[in-house]
Amino acid sequence: MGDDRWVQGTLEGELTLGGEPNAVPTARRFIAQALAAEPDHVVEDAEQLVSELVTNAILHGAAPVTVRLLRAERGVRVEVEDASRAFPVLSRPSTDTMTGRGLSLVAALAREWGVTESPGGKVVWAELGDGSDETVAAPVGGLEFEATTEAPDPAAGPRFAVQIGAVPTDLLLAAKAHIDNVVREFTFVKADQAASGGQLPEPIAQLVETVTSDFAEARDAIKRQALAAAARGDSETDLILHLPASAADAGERYLAALDAADRYGRAARLLTLGAPVLHRVFRRWYVEALIDQLRAAANGEAPPRPPMFPQALADEVDRLSALEDTWERLQLLQRVTRELTGAVTVADITEVIVRNSIATLGAQSVRIYLLGDDGMLRTAAVGGDIASSRTYPDLSLDDDLPGPLAVRTGVAMYFRNREQLTARFPQLAGIYPGETSLHVTPLRVGEHTLGVLTMSFAAVTDVDEETQIAFVGALADAVAQAFERALAMERADVARRRLAFLAEASVVFAASLDFQATLDAVCRLLAPTLADWCIIQLVQSDRLEIAAVHHNDPGQVAWARSMAGKFPMAGERPGGAPDVVASGESQLFQELDSDVIEAMAASEEHRDVIRALGMSSAMVVPLTGRSGTFGAITLLYADSGRRYAVEDVSFVEDVARRAALALETAETFREQSGRLADVRRVADATQRAILAPVPPRLGSISLAGRYVSATAEALIGGDLYEVVPRQGGVRLLVGDVRGKGLAAIRIATIVLGDFRAAAADIADLSEVARQMDRRLRPYLADEDFATAVLADIGDDGSYTVVSCGHPPPLLVAGGAAGELSVVHSLPLGLGASPTATEGWLNPGDRLLLYTDGVIEARDPDRRFVDLSWVISPLEGGELQYALDDVLERLHRFAGRELGDDVALIAAEYRP
């Protein structure tokens, strides 16, 4: 327990600790109680001594820790015993480390202190005298610089000598001091875990164990040799260690654990900061040298000579220089990416790329092509010194040029100089001035290719070849993502504007039943929105005749009409409108080049006239209605310089179909109104002219529709119905316009047109009704409105119903009929905003939509009809016959002359 001078000392007390976090306060209280009768300065010194010795045992020893207080004539003695034989060392004074100061304080307070072995480990002791003796500032026996006395572990196997070589002593001590700080902090973490009974997460627990214990023997030996060299005044320490082969694996774990601890320190998750770069380089150098020598020795090989530390430093400088270049490149890429995030349009994106590539990266030239749906690469941006700025504006994917080749293969290309470039592509000689390198990189998002980015660099540039290749590749990825986002936004905007255009077209087309007015309305709508010129040709007596021509400039229209008698208009010659009318298939002329103009021209003079118009692009679409194709619409871009794309064709065809239905309705009304004489025939024919026949089946839905006029003396009514197929189902409308006569018919046609447009394009049925309400309002007089019920039936049997001041539909299910419970809203034109009712139809279930002429029918005694009796035929039998039976019952009750018009649509779910 100590030297012989204390054999006869009296044991005043003993305390056993387990390394718990409160071990130091517990030890101080123990000493204070045991020395309660001593002067205050003795108690304070003893408390300070036990604090430092217990802390040293917890940090650098092993539990259990035993504290003893002995008393004799010469004073008191504090002993702290732990289970480790690793002796403590007295470190050099330093302001950079949190460890090592305790023993210096012990040396300052104690008269004598030292370390002795014990059967279970070691005892660190310190004596406090009675004031008659001077304090001895160094431990007895020079133990502060001895190697560890920890007995070698026989299970670890033989030990091998490791010679690392001369290391700067100051650097070695500074690095070890930083590691001691980490060990100190992690030791307290272990102690807290043991005392609290809690468990650290496995990765953290493993990290703590590795840093504090795994490499402890080698770490302790290095520290002792460094301190000894410092005491001798040696500027370098020649490290020689004797370690088992297992220390090599421990060294690898130790390096990884210290790297992890540095990450915690940089993230401010430790009190100890991350190690300086010099320390990290140094520890990796000597630990890797130790690992290499141990493994060679274990394999019976000659230990490799470690590289000199200055060489390791030089290698790290080279690595950091490369990292600095990479960091600068990443900073540039981040700045460009940040600007691309704010770029909304394709033009914005190309401006960002051209500006940064030339001004910041030092590119000589930059060019961006975007891939169109027609397989053409078209220039989206060009900048810098490039002779081809006006050449190769468009490229075909079949062209033997770098851009098309990169798109076809999906592989980036790099040409180090002009010789390489022209050897592969001789046609590009002279395009790039001076000696040039060229990067050609496809713009891809996943498997989708958007275009290609080309960048050239002068032979002498501040940016090296490797940096160019890496940066251009990363830049191309960022550009592709930005283009994908911008193009998606543009497509969404185009779709929104086209949807609004179709809705407007439906209203315009349905606004008049006058045939010529409808023709003019079609032309005025299409030009200038979708064309500079709009020409409508109709089949008249087996010939195509021009029925309408429109241009924003009336003078141009007058000129065109004067030319019509002298030359055929565009699209009249074979290959244009005649072929479109005959085939029913549209034709697109994206580029009206000389070959197309030559085919269009009837003569040389005609060709000169066409060229004078400056036509750049054309499209011819059929006018196809219920009766077939009866004409064609020719759209031309000329003075605007715009061009049609492939995706424009389907949209214009949709507009043409709506125009054809409007023209057919107007023509039917014109023909019927000229022949009908009595009011009944006018009412019936007019109503049928605007009501399309109901198809017997659409998808999973069987359909039947009926319209019955009221008495012969009644004015023309406003009852209406319509069926619009859509993907995945069908939409139905039954409505009733307030009032009678031609005004009611006019409003009915507008309601039908609004429904056809909205039902085909808007997914939400309530929004369909709201749009119909908004569109209808400008055409209504003060007291006009229309009631309506809308239904959407899916191919899966789902249905949605909305009511705008109209009688609710009837549901026939399971052989019984009943009224659907719906939420009514205001009629159309008065602020309709309905709430949808949803449900499911089973196979064989039926819905009946009807106007109030059914429920308001009366018998001669003025009694209202029994609705359940009238509709009972719908509870069985074929749909068409069942609807006829419903009307028969209605006539049987009210007589042959009904008091109001009746419109009915029945739908049966038959998957």
Side-chain angles (χ1 to χ4, degrees):
M1 287 195 183
D3 61 84
D4 294 341
R5 290 173 295 173
W6 285 89
V7 171
Q8 302 302 319
T10 304
L11 179 65
E12 293 289 313
E14 185 174 274
L15 172 69
T16 301
L17 302 168
E20 56 271 15
N22 64 344
V24 172
T26 302
R28 289 175 66 94
R29 286 194 298 271
F30 164 72
I31 291 296
Q33 292 171 359
L35 297 177
E38 297 293 329
D40 290 344
H41 73 276
V42 174
V43 176
E44 291 173 0
D45 288 351
E47 285 182 317
Q48 190 65 51
L49 283 175
V50 80
S51 296
E52 301 303 334
L53 295 179
V54 170
T55 298
N56 183 75
I58 293 174
L59 286 176
H60 305 295
V65 177
T66 301
V67 180
R68 301 185 186 90
L69 178 67
L70 294 93
R71 186 189 300 273
E73 294 182 0
R74 299 177 61 240
V76 296
R77 171 173 171 137
V78 177
E79 294 184 351
V80 176
E81 182 178 7
D82 69 83
S84 170
R85 286 191 171 85
F87 282 16
V89 294
L90 186 64
S91 301
R92 293 195 310 175
S94 172
T95 59
D96 297 329
T97 177
M98 294 182 289
T99 63
R101 302 176 187 177
L103 292 183
S104 297
L105 184 60
V106 169
L109 291 174
R111 181 177 60 193
E112 289 185 280
W113 74 281
V115 185
T116 58
E117 291 187 25
S118 69
K122 66 176 179 296
V123 175
V124 183
W125 52 269
E127 300 174 4
L128 288 173
D130 54 10
S132 59
D133 298 326
E134 293 185 359
T135 299
V136 179
V140 175
L143 292 175
E144 71 274 29
F145 302 133
E146 288 184 3
T148 177
T149 58
E150 187 77 61
D153 182 4
R159 292 176 174 259
F160 303 95
V162 175
Q163 283 191 302
I164 298 176
V167 180
T169 300
D170 288 342
L171 175 61
L172 182 57
L173 287 174
K176 299 310 293 179
H178 181 273
I179 294 173
D180 284 346
N181 290 340
V182 176
V183 171
R184 178 179 185 273
E185 192 163 348
F186 280 174
T187 300
F188 282 131
V189 171
K190 285 177 61 176
D192 182 62
Q193 177 193 16
S196 64
Q199 289 192 345
L200 291 171
E202 179 58 32
I204 303 299
Q206 186 60 48
L207 174 65
V208 171
E209 181 64 26
T210 300
V211 171
T212 58
S213 303
D214 219 9
F215 200 62
E217 180 182 351
R219 179 166 49 81
D220 188 56
I222 293 171
K223 180 177 179 180
R224 292 175 183 277
Q225 292 185 40
L227 287 172
R232 294 191 301 270
D234 296 343
S235 61
E236 291 185 335
T237 301
D238 193 13
L239 288 177
I240 301 175
L241 307 174
H242 294 81
L243 299 169
S246 60
D249 293 338
E252 286 186 339
R253 294 192 296 270
Y254 179 66
L255 280 179
L258 288 180
D259 289 342
D262 283 342
R263 289 193 292 271
Y264 278 99
R266 288 192 294 271
R269 297 173 67 181
L270 292 177
L271 295 176
T272 306
L273 299 177
V277 174
L278 183 61
H279 290 188
R280 294 200 300 270
V281 175
F282 172 66
R283 78 189 183 210
R284 183 162 295 279
W285 169 74
Y286 82 76
V287 174
E288 287 180 348
L290 178 153
I291 293 170
D292 292 342
Q293 291 197 34
L294 278 178
R295 287 180 174 165
N299 293 330
E301 302 170 357
R305 182 180 181 84
M308 300 296 290
F309 181 61
Q311 181 59 48
L313 280 178
D315 293 343
E316 182 65 12
V317 169
D318 289 342
R319 188 183 73 85
L320 292 177
S321 297
L323 288 177
E324 184 178 5
D325 292 341
T326 301
W327 172 250
E328 291 177 354
R329 186 166 67 247
L330 288 175
Q331 289 289 94
L332 173 59
L333 185 62
Q334 183 183 24
R335 183 168 68 252
V336 175
T337 304
R338 183 171 59 250
E339 290 190 46
L340 288 176
T341 302
V344 177
T345 66
V346 169
D348 293 339
I349 294 170
T350 55
E351 190 277 331
V352 169
I353 299 308
V354 171
R355 172 167 44 82
N356 281 283
S357 299
I358 294 174
T360 307
L361 190 61
Q364 185 182 49
S365 68
V366 58
R367 190 165 194 163
I368 299 173
Y369 289 93
L370 290 181
L371 181 62
D373 292 336
D374 57 351
M376 294 293 293
L377 286 168
R378 292 187 171 85
T379 299
V382 61
D385 184 12
I386 179 171
S388 64
S389 59
R390 295 188 178 274
T391 60
Y392 300 113
D394 300 334
L395 301 174
S396 169
L397 285 184
D398 297 327
D399 291 343
D400 186 27
L401 289 168
L405 181 59
V407 172
R408 292 198 302 268
T409 61
V411 177
M413 292 182 291
Y414 172 66
F415 300 93
R416 184 169 287 105
N417 49 48
R418 278 199 307 173
E419 181 181 357
Q420 279 190 352
L421 177 64
T422 56
R424 174 60 183 84
F425 301 101
Q427 64 271 44
L428 296 183
I431 293 294
Y432 296 96
E435 192 54 70
T436 302
S437 63
L438 178 67
H439 301 261
V440 184
T441 308
L443 300 174
R444 294 169 61 87
V445 178
E447 298 299 318
H448 181 207
T449 301
L450 300 168
V452 65
L453 170 68
T454 67
M455 296 179 68
S456 67
F457 291 85
V460 179
T461 176
D462 293 335
V463 184
D464 62 86
E465 176 180 309
E466 182 180 352
T467 300
Q468 289 178 20
I469 294 173
F471 182 82
V472 172
L475 181 63
D477 290 339
V479 172
Q481 295 287 345
F483 275 140
E484 179 85 346
R485 183 184 68 252
L487 292 172
M489 293 174 64
E490 287 184 5
R491 287 191 293 267
D493 185 59
V494 169
R496 179 187 58 77
R497 287 188 280 109
R498 287 183 171 180
L499 181 61
F501 183 87
L502 287 175
E504 182 66 24
S506 297
V507 173
V508 170
F509 296 164
S512 175
L513 288 176
D514 181 82
F515 188 80
Q516 190 59 47
T518 303
L519 274 175
D520 293 340
V522 172
C523 271
R524 286 194 302 271
L525 184 71
L526 294 175
T529 305
L530 298 180
D532 297 327
W533 287 91
C534 176
I535 305 164
I536 298 180
Q537 296 164 274
L538 301 177
V539 177
Q540 305 283 347
S541 302
D542 296 329
R543 290 189 57 191
L544 266 180
E545 300 287 348
I546 295 177
V549 178
H550 186 70
H551 187 280
N552 245 13
D553 183 357
Q556 292 273 50
V557 175
W559 173 84
R561 293 189 185 280
S562 69
M563 291 292 104
K566 190 174 182 180
F567 304 115
M569 292 295 294
E572 287 188 76
R573 290 180 59 75
D579 284 358
V580 169
V581 173
S583 66
E585 300 289 336
S586 301
Q587 291 186 357
L588 173 65
F589 304 93
Q590 288 182 284
E591 298 286 340
L592 288 176
D593 54 26
S594 57
D595 292 339
V596 176
I597 292 175
E598 191 72 33
M600 290 171 56
S603 65
E604 185 174 346
E605 184 181 1
H606 188 201
R607 181 175 60 249
D608 293 339
V609 171
I610 296 174
R611 285 177 174 165
L613 283 173
M615 293 187 296
S616 57
S617 188
M619 185 191 313
V620 187
V621 297
L623 280 168
T624 304
R626 297 185 181 95
S627 59
T629 300
F630 59 87
I633 300 177
T634 299
L635 302 179
L636 298 168
Y637 279 139
D639 39 342
S640 69
R642 294 180 289 179
R643 285 174 173 77
Y644 292 108
V646 175
E647 57 267 23
D648 295 328
V649 176
S650 60
F651 173 66
V652 176
E653 286 176 339
D654 196 357
V655 176
R657 279 193 295 270
R658 296 165 191 256
L661 291 173
L663 289 170
E664 275 192 335
T665 300
E667 177 64 16
T668 301
F669 181 72
R670 182 175 67 176
E671 293 175 355
Q672 294 291 342
S673 62
R675 293 198 303 265
L676 298 178
D678 60 75
V679 176
R680 173 65 179 271
R681 291 178 63 200
V682 172
D684 190 62
T686 304
Q687 202 79 19
R688 293 181 187 281
I690 68 170
L691 300 180
V694 175
R697 186 179 180 93
L698 287 173
S700 298
I701 314 300
S702 293
L703 298 164
R706 298 290 186 272
Y707 171 77
V708 179
S709 296
T711 62
E713 291 76 26
L715 293 174
I716 300 171
D719 286 26
L720 55 94
Y721 65 78
E722 182 60 289
V723 175
V724 174
R726 65 194 303 268
Q727 186 174 3
V730 62
R731 281 184 168 169
L732 314 176
L733 166 70
V734 168
D736 189 359
V737 176
R738 180 186 179 277
K740 300 288 184 181
L742 291 176
I745 287 293
R746 175 176 174 272
I747 296 174
T749 60
I750 296 173
V751 172
L752 288 169
D754 289 346
F755 177 70
R756 290 167 186 149
D761 300 325
I762 299 176
D764 186 340
L765 193 62
S766 297
E767 182 58 29
V768 171
R770 285 190 286 270
Q771 176 157 311
M772 292 173 65
D773 176 83
R774 292 192 297 268
R775 294 290 188 180
L776 183 60
R777 291 182 200 175
Y779 300 95
L780 298 179
D782 289 344
E783 298 181 0
D784 289 342
F785 61 87
T787 68
V789 62
L790 288 69
D792 186 339
I793 306 177
D795 285 339
D796 59 354
S798 62
Y799 70 83
T800 304
V801 174
V802 298
S803 174
C804 304
H806 198 87
L810 298 173
L811 172 63
V812 181
E819 190 177 89
L820 274 182
S821 177
V822 299
V823 180
H824 293 281
S825 82
L826 292 173
L828 299 175
L830 298 181
S833 183
T835 300
T837 297
E838 298 178 344
W840 292 86
L841 298 176
N842 293 316
D845 289 352
R846 294 171 173 176
L847 278 179
L848 176 67
L849 283 64
Y850 57 95
T851 58
D852 59 7
V854 176
I855 57 177
E856 293 182 357
R858 300 192 185 196
D859 67 4
D861 296 327
R862 308 301 294 165
R863 291 175 299 185
F864 285 106
V865 71
D866 181 358
L867 183 61
S868 61
W869 173 76
V870 170
I871 68 163
S872 59
L874 284 171
E875 296 171 2
E878 289 292 326
L879 193 63
Q880 300 288 340
Y881 299 129
L883 208 55
D884 288 336
D885 290 342
V886 168
L887 291 176
E888 178 58 29
R889 289 195 174 205
L890 193 61
H891 282 298
R892 193 189 316 168
F893 176 82
R896 303 318 299 174
E897 302 293 343
L898 300 176
D900 196 0
D901 297 351
V902 171
L904 302 167
I905 287 186
E908 179 180 351
Y909 178 47
R910 295 182 62 186

